[in-house]
Amino acid sequence: MNQAFITVRRGQAEDAGKVFTINKASTVIGRRTPQYVPDIELNDEAVSRRHLEIIARGDRYLLQDLGSTNGTMLDGDRIMPGKLYTLKHNSQIGLGVDGDGAHIIIVFKESESTNVLTGDKKQAAKKGKAAPVAWLKIDEGKKEASVDGQAAKLSRKEYDLLLFLRSNAGQVCSRDEIIKAVWPESQDPAAISDATVDQLIHRLREKVEPEPARPARIISKVGFGYMLG
């Protein structure tokens, strides 16, 4: 069985940042009660006793909501209880649905030795195997970037964001991943709003896009994040 894990990106202070290994055929995520202890415990009151299950089946990992009180989201969409959904590397799972968001965000990741099943093809889902970007050059030693052969005047956060996107070129980077990479000093990543990320993306586009109003280099993937193309 291939190994996977989840990280808690948003939740109660005692949960945020925790990493849990998924190494069983069935892993139940929920809230501990005197009568029941789930495989993975989360402390938020929005989490049900048996909230959701991650199932390892062959080369795939599947997700199902176990009839939770407050619901589950997968990559921004609410899922139906009892129905199986395929998980992919960097899938975002929300527990405790509240409007268009969720109280708790956990991110599913597969280990570096595990391939991700996409349709009929398996593709390695490793960060760091970036696609070539002809229009961009970054000198990490000098902390400088050039766009189309011209030096780009970037703020520290703009540079950090561009460097992170470049290191993952061709792959979608979620807002949570961007926050972790660009604001590592933040003690509470949840305090960095989506609007803050989007504003930084907008400012960076103004400096790297030939037509900022029609971005073709920093591409939005609605419900997932951004990708450098």
Side-chain angles (χ1 to χ4, degrees):
M1 184 190 305
N2 292 323
Q3 190 178 77
F5 58 96
I6 61 168
T7 61
V8 182
R9 289 291 175 81
R10 181 180 305 160
Q12 294 291 325
E14 59 265 45
D15 292 332
K18 286 184 177 178
V19 178
F20 299 94
T21 300
I22 306 294
N23 54 12
K24 299 167 58 178
S26 171
T27 301
V28 174
I29 299 176
R31 183 164 48 87
R32 176 195 282 262
T33 69
Q35 296 79 29
Y36 181 75
V37 179
D39 299 307
I40 293 176
E41 301 175 31
L42 296 175
N43 292 289
D44 197 292
E45 291 293 325
V47 176
S48 295
R49 180 175 63 92
R50 286 171 49 86
H51 197 105
L52 61 84
E53 179 183 22
I54 295 176
I55 301 167
R57 184 175 295 174
D59 291 320
R60 296 190 299 164
Y61 286 88
L62 305 174
L63 170 73
Q64 70 168 333
D65 179 282
L66 296 173
S68 65
T69 300
N70 295 306
T72 302
M73 302 180 79
L74 177 60
D75 292 325
D77 295 320
R78 187 162 186 164
I79 65 175
M80 298 294 294
K83 184 177 178 181
L84 294 174
Y85 296 80
T86 299
L87 289 170
K88 299 179 181 179
H89 184 67
N90 284 331
S91 284
Q92 293 194 48
I93 304 167
L95 296 84
V97 179
D98 184 8
D100 293 330
H103 284 272
I104 304 96
I105 299 292
I106 62 178
V107 180
F108 173 83
K109 292 180 178 290
E110 295 191 89
S111 64
E112 291 189 353
S113 63
T114 304
N115 287 336
V116 177
L117 189 68
T118 306
D120 295 325
K121 299 180 180 179
K122 293 180 181 179
Q123 299 175 343
K126 300 179 185 177
K127 295 294 182 183
K129 287 193 173 181
V133 181
W135 54 268
L136 174 64
K137 302 295 181 186
I138 294 180
D139 186 330
E140 295 188 48
K142 295 181 178 180
K143 307 296 183 186
E144 295 176 349
S146 59
V147 176
D148 296 323
Q150 300 295 318
K153 295 182 179 179
L154 304 175
S155 70
R156 172 63 182 270
K157 292 301 183 187
E158 290 166 353
Y159 172 84
D160 288 346
L161 173 57
L162 187 60
L163 180 63
F164 178 67
L165 294 175
R166 172 64 185 84
S167 68
N168 297 286
Q171 303 179 65
V172 177
C173 299
S174 69
R175 286 182 174 84
D176 286 335
E177 290 175 314
I178 291 171
I179 290 169
K180 185 176 180 180
V182 179
W183 286 272
E185 73 281 0
S186 176
Q187 297 298 314
D188 180 12
I192 308 297
S193 69
D194 288 350
T196 298
V197 176
D198 294 341
Q199 289 167 7
L200 184 60
I201 290 284
H202 174 77
R203 294 199 300 271
L204 186 57
R205 279 174 168 163
E206 291 289 328
K207 298 181 179 182
V208 306
E209 294 280 359
E211 297 182 66
R214 301 176 61 185
R217 292 177 171 178
I218 302 177
I219 303 163
S220 298
K221 296 291 184 179
V222 178
F224 296 94
Y226 295 96
M227 180 177 73
L228 196 73

